[in-house]
Amino acid sequence: MKILISTDIEGVAGVFHAEQTRAGNGEYERARAWMTGEANAAVEGAFAGGATEVLVNDSHGGFRNLLPDQLDPRARLVLGKPRYLGMMAGVETGTNGVMMLGYHGRAQSRGVLAHTINSSAFARVWLNGKEVGEAGLYGALAGEFGVPVLMASGDDVFVHETHALMPWVRYVETKSADGFGSGTTLSPAASRAAIAAAAAEAVRDHAQAQCLRTSTPVSCRLQTLTPAHADLFCQWPALERRDGVTLCFRADSVQAAIRMLNCLSAMSFMLK
């Protein structure tokens, strides 16, 4: 059984401030070590539950945060960008189940460091009329490949909103949010123990998991943070502008919709 572990950083135990998510400072170096530790806990649990192969996808920022020399040697690591499948790269390689580690609430929620894809460009995203965050987007992408999400970890806001989409998933609540940059967290050691146990159970019971299915073609609605972003994005003829900050497009698949969103995210750096 082959398991893909997609690992973000904002939902990792102990992470509460943007400085911890950005390279170039000591706080980030500690946070990326905690991130690697949680990835290793999931690898340990996956193998204990019966996995025969594990891929770990570095899914934060520039996709090169995890420490390869500290990763469980039984796993292989997916690093770097750009990638067509982004946070779900590896799901196309015959994967049987996905785990989402260190994920966070969607943009405009009250979760710790909550955002959707790009915190400086996107305010809200809807697929086929349903508002989604990164877990909803990439869970749907996994479902398009016939792969279920088995386990996920993050703060209580993330768990609550994602459970509504994927109630079969085993969740680990690494911390509870008091606001965007505050809350109460498990220790890294306690978080790792909980993740390892949940990962093992999720793999053992994988037959009970379901795929998150999305009808196609996909209708995507996007609300930008500023009218300037909508001005820029609507230079692309495929996009239709609805008002100052709202635009829409259609895509043949979830994969195509996510690739479009990631392209728009890259375009947004022109405004910085």
Side-chain angles (χ1 to χ4, degrees):
M1 173 178 289
K2 186 173 184 177
I3 299 297
L4 174 67
I5 301 171
S6 173
T7 308
D8 208 346
I9 200 169
E10 287 87 356
V12 168
V15 175
F16 284 92
H17 193 278
E19 186 174 6
Q20 294 174 284
T21 73
R22 297 170 182 159
N25 66 86
E27 289 289 318
Y28 166 76
E29 293 302 327
R30 297 188 74 179
R32 74 191 297 207
W34 299 336
M35 178 187 183
T36 304
E38 292 195 359
N40 279 335
V43 172
E44 175 188 341
F47 279 115
T52 56
E53 185 176 355
V54 176
L55 281 179
V56 178
N57 176 328
D58 189 320
S59 298
H60 172 68
F63 296 166
R64 49 188 183 90
N65 310 274
L66 293 168
L67 300 166
D69 60 341
Q70 294 185 26
L71 190 73
D72 188 314
R74 295 173 294 177
R76 289 185 297 139
L77 184 57
V78 182
L79 288 171
K81 64 172 28 175
R83 314 171 183 157
Y84 288 161
L85 302 183
M87 298 175 76
M88 206 47 60
V91 74
E92 77 282 12
T93 63
T95 303
N96 303 109
V98 167
M99 298 181 186
M100 296 176 165
L101 292 190
Y103 272 54
H104 48 79
R106 63 178 179 246
Q108 305 297 305
S109 75
R110 60 180 298 274
V112 175
L113 299 172
H115 66 280
T116 302
I117 300 178
N118 186 328
S119 59
S120 63
F122 301 160
R124 302 174 74 182
V125 177
W126 294 262
L127 284 187
N128 291 344
K130 183 182 293 292
E131 187 171 8
V132 291
E134 291 170 18
L137 286 165
Y138 282 101
L141 179 56
E144 198 164 77
F145 281 89
V147 181
V149 179
L150 306 180
M151 177 260 177
S153 69
D155 71 10
D156 59 327
V157 173
F158 162 75
V159 170
H160 177 76
E161 73 180 39
T162 310
H163 185 273
L165 278 177
M166 297 183 282
W168 61 86
V169 171
R170 275 186 168 75
Y171 292 96
V172 173
E173 185 179 306
T174 59
K175 53 195 171 189
S176 59
D178 291 337
F180 185 79
S182 63
T184 305
T185 183
L186 297 178
S187 70
S191 185
R192 291 193 300 268
I195 286 169
E201 293 171 0
V203 173
R204 289 191 193 105
D205 297 337
H206 70 278
Q208 299 176 23
Q210 304 171 39
C211 290
L212 181 59
R213 301 291 188 182
T214 303
S215 60
T216 55
V218 176
S219 173
C220 183
R221 179 158 49 105
L222 172 65
Q223 188 178 90
T224 62
L225 281 183
T226 71
H229 288 93
D231 292 342
L232 174 64
F233 297 160
C234 287
Q235 297 298 313
W236 203 325
L239 276 65
E240 174 190 349
R241 193 164 186 172
R242 296 288 177 85
D243 60 32
V245 294
T246 305
L247 51 88
C248 300
F249 65 88
R250 292 177 68 82
D252 291 336
S253 64
V254 175
Q255 179 184 166
I258 289 175
R259 287 171 66 175
M260 173 73 89
L261 289 168
N262 285 332
C263 286
L264 297 177
S265 176
M267 287 174 65
S268 72
F269 286 92
M270 293 176 63
L271 298 180
K272 288 192 172 183

